[in-house]
Amino acid sequence: MINRWLRGCFDGGLGLATVCLACSALAQGLTVVPVVAGPGAMPVAAVMPDQLPHSVLARGGRDIAVAWLAAPTARYAHGVLGDALEAGALVVETRAGERLRFDLPPQRVFEDLALRLVDLDADGRDEIVLVESDLERGASLAVFGVVDGRLQRRAASPFIGRAHRWLNPLGAGDFDGDGRLDLAAVVTPHLGGILRLYRYAPPVLAAFAETRDVSTHAIGSTALAMGQVVDGEGRAWVLLPDQAHRRLRLLAWEGVWRERAAVDLPGRLVGALVAQGRDRWRGQTEGGEAFELRLAR
């Protein structure tokens, strides 16, 4: 185990904090229990005007009532999410009943299927976290919100730098224990898999930690939630598969990365991890074996 952790240490060359996995005793345990498979997920039907096929509505509890991806377009020939269509616009309906829309320029798309609504700056208003891609520079993690009655881009990470390079947002949490929400995403989940943490510092998302050998998506799948943010001990942890999708890892950023727990799966993970309550998730392997993942603290 120690040798595997040491092989995972690297220098990202990005001026970030130390990212080597720390070698320490595991404080938690993960177990995999076979279960009877339930019914498969139903196809997602578009229910709002001009909604992107297969995308999911986001319903908010603050200033945004509902948000969706709109204006399907085939102008970005990537297809990593199962078809040739991406969104050219973002639309929200506010609690006040206004409909607001942000249209991207012709060289950009929203390469996503699920919007994430979260109050990142504790001002009582929703921020929208999603993937914005450039036809030449690949994907960026972007944050939008309603400001002065307009839907605007609030912050964004740099584009990856190359076309057809994608990232998958994982979620929001206080990963560094400073009392403020951060964002986590897996950059290039199909090509090396880099878990990266960002601080919300408009107009930028500032990366402050990263590590490798992770993934949260299979090429062509519409399932984005293969990883989860977990409530930890005074900070948020990240639960996600390794690059091969055959092992689940529970990672914590504590100035260095610590692997709190890990467990091998009976086969290659496919689809999402679905929460079943605190510290329990359902999943399925490519052989059709359903399982429940349990975290013991």
Side-chain angles (χ1 to χ4, degrees):
M1 179 69 75
I2 290 177
N3 288 338
R4 182 172 62 81
W5 277 339
L6 290 176
R7 287 197 299 271
C9 295
F10 75 103
D11 178 3
L14 297 177
L16 304 180
T18 302
V19 294
C20 291
L21 290 176
C23 304
S24 62
L26 300 183
Q28 283 73 38
L30 288 171
T31 55
V32 172
V33 179
V35 297
V36 177
M42 297 295 291
V44 178
V47 296
M48 301 301 284
D50 204 25
Q51 184 181 340
L52 178 72
H54 310 297
S55 65
V56 181
L57 292 179
R59 300 190 182 277
R62 302 174 185 88
D63 61 322
I64 295 177
V66 62
W68 67 94
L69 293 161
T73 175
R75 65 187 180 225
Y76 187 41
H78 193 193
V80 73
L81 297 177
D83 60 29
L85 296 177
E86 312 298 346
L90 172 65
V91 183
V92 305
E93 288 186 355
T94 69
R95 290 286 169 191
E98 297 177 285
R99 181 170 292 184
L100 307 174
R101 180 179 174 117
F102 188 99
D103 286 283
L104 288 172
Q107 72 273 19
R108 300 275 179 85
V109 296
F110 291 119
E111 196 175 9
D112 213 332
L113 295 174
L115 304 176
R116 304 141 194 95
L117 300 187
V118 59
D119 183 4
L120 289 172
D121 52 10
D123 66 351
R125 296 183 297 177
D126 289 303
E127 277 77 48
I128 306 168
V129 181
L130 73 168
V131 180
E132 181 178 350
S133 293
D134 185 272
L135 275 60
E136 296 182 353
R137 294 180 288 168
S140 166
L141 185 63
V143 178
F144 282 72
V146 178
V147 180
D148 297 329
R150 296 174 55 209
L151 185 56
Q152 300 180 23
R153 186 187 294 103
R154 302 294 312 282
S157 71
F159 291 97
I160 292 173
R162 183 175 175 181
H164 301 164
R165 294 295 182 266
W166 185 66
L167 61 82
N168 189 14
L170 201 154
D174 180 10
F175 298 107
D176 56 5
D178 67 354
R180 293 174 293 196
L181 290 179
D182 313 301
L183 292 172
V186 174
V187 180
T188 59
H190 320 117
L191 298 169
I194 302 169
L195 170 62
R196 189 169 288 164
L197 305 180
Y198 301 86
R199 292 191 177 98
Y200 181 58
V204 300
L205 294 175
F208 66 90
E210 63 180 44
T211 188
R212 295 180 183 262
D213 190 26
V214 297
S215 181
T216 49
H217 185 255
I219 291 177
S221 174
T222 58
L224 303 184
M226 197 178 278
Q228 298 283 328
V229 176
V230 179
D231 288 335
E233 298 169 352
R235 65 185 67 207
W237 300 333
V238 176
L239 174 67
L240 74 178
D242 66 358
Q243 184 70 57
H245 295 183
R246 294 184 178 276
R247 184 176 178 82
L248 286 167
R249 308 174 67 198
L250 183 66
L251 301 177
W253 172 253
E254 300 173 4
V256 293
W257 286 103
R258 297 188 186 277
E259 189 173 71
R260 287 281 184 164
V263 64
D264 292 327
L265 296 173
R268 194 170 188 273
L269 180 67
V270 294
L273 288 177
V274 181
Q276 302 295 303
R278 180 177 170 82
D279 296 342
R280 295 186 300 117
W281 300 266
R282 285 282 180 99
Q284 186 170 310
T285 69
E286 62 184 349
E289 299 165 293
F291 65 87
E292 182 171 280
L293 179 72
R294 299 174 182 173
L295 171 63
R297 297 176 183 260

